[in-house]
Amino acid sequence: MPEDGIKLTAIHQRVNIVSLSPARTSRAGRRSLAGARLRSLATGGGPALGMVVVLLYFALTVPVFATSANVLGVLQQTGPLVLIAMGLSLTMILRGLDLSVAQTTDAAGLVAATLLVGGAPVVVALLAGVAVGLVIGVVNSVLVAAIGIPALIATLGTMFIVRAGELIYSNNGNPAALYNLPSSQTDFIFAVGQGQWGSVPIMAPAVGIVLVIMIAITACTNTGRYFVAIGLNARASQFSGVNIRHFFALGFVLSGIRSEERRV
């Protein structure tokens, strides 16, 4: 090889060595990691940050917004919706959607209330409501995970079917009949939704307990990690040996049970 060619080759090798030096690669890695964290914060923490900004705005502009009475009232009124949202979040983590959650809630409440009106014990009525949510969740899981119907279409159809079943089952009955029962049959149910411990609504700590359980499941268990992994990349999870259909089915079943909790 000519002498000039040998010199150029040596120069190229030195340039490559410098460009791949640990100091430079570590700095590039840190910049890449920082960028990834910022993108993750923007996509994952953006809604939470936006909610904090909205709350601060109303707290500063509306005098009664940040009062204890208003905060406790909001906690009591939004508790049932938070329970539904936690169930729905499981399917959304999997990049699915369950449009039947609200109707599942109504169906569970209808069955439980009808049993109470008929004289059934409170425990039996509550378990019946749980069973309704479980059955609807299983139906959704079969339609989506086993048959392969898109979740949007499957759960929309389930919603209309459950709604029609409610009208047939109740014969367009008046749900206010529950309020005409003896207080001994309804005190427990109304206490959970409307009762208070001192000035704190019972619904608030109940929702907090369920929220802690959900966070623990999704963050500290293999099942929760599989849920997140499937949502991030379903194909990679499948290649890693994760049974995607199984976890899709589980997500819709848990969504049905969480929906039932709000009404019962």
Side-chain angles (χ1 to χ4, degrees):
M1 179 180 295
E3 184 177 351
D4 293 340
I6 295 175
K7 291 181 178 179
L8 288 175
T9 301
I11 292 173
H12 289 163
Q13 289 176 350
R14 286 196 297 271
V15 170
N16 290 335
I17 292 172
V18 171
S19 63
L20 295 177
S21 62
R24 294 194 176 188
T25 55
S26 62
R27 287 195 296 269
R30 286 195 295 269
R31 287 195 298 268
S32 177
L33 181 59
R37 288 177 176 173
L38 289 175
R39 289 192 297 271
S40 176
L41 179 62
T43 56
L49 181 61
M51 179 59 68
V52 171
V53 172
V54 171
L55 293 177
L56 288 176
Y57 171 78
F58 283 107
L60 295 174
T61 57
V62 181
V64 298
F65 182 80
T67 60
S68 60
N70 184 61
V71 172
L72 293 175
V74 170
L75 288 176
Q76 185 169 13
Q77 294 172 9
T78 59
L81 297 179
V82 174
L83 291 175
I84 294 179
M86 283 190 286
L88 184 59
S89 66
L90 293 174
T91 57
M92 296 185 70
I93 289 175
L94 296 168
R95 297 185 180 274
L97 187 62
D98 187 356
L99 296 179
S100 65
V101 289
Q103 216 60 57
T104 301
T105 300
D106 289 342
L110 174 63
V111 171
T114 304
L115 290 175
L116 286 175
V117 171
V122 173
V123 175
V124 173
L126 295 179
L127 292 178
V130 173
V132 170
L134 178 62
V135 169
I136 296 175
V138 170
V139 170
N140 284 332
S141 67
V142 170
L143 294 175
V144 176
I147 300 178
I149 301 175
L152 180 67
I153 298 174
T155 57
L156 183 64
T158 302
M159 180 187 72
F160 285 118
I161 293 172
V162 172
R163 176 59 178 163
E166 290 176 20
L167 295 175
I168 295 172
Y169 179 74
S170 64
N171 194 23
N172 276 338
N174 184 6
L178 185 63
Y179 292 89
N180 298 325
L181 291 176
S183 59
S184 60
Q185 291 183 260
T186 58
D187 280 347
F188 173 76
I189 294 177
F190 290 145
V192 175
Q194 303 175 4
Q196 293 184 340
W197 283 330
S199 60
V200 179
I202 295 177
M203 179 61 70
V207 171
I209 292 172
V210 176
L211 179 61
V212 170
I213 293 174
M214 292 291 294
I215 293 175
I217 291 175
T218 55
C220 304
T221 66
N222 289 334
T223 300
R225 295 187 184 100
Y226 287 147
F227 270 97
V228 175
I230 293 172
L232 292 175
N233 195 323
R235 185 177 295 275
S237 300
Q238 186 176 19
F239 288 155
S240 300
V242 179
N243 189 335
I244 294 178
R245 291 181 181 270
H246 168 78
F247 285 98
F248 262 98
L250 180 60
F252 281 98
V253 170
L254 293 177
S255 177
I257 296 176
R258 288 273 86 80
S259 300
E260 162 275 328
E261 284 182 357
R262 181 259 180 180
R263 180 62 70 182
V264 174

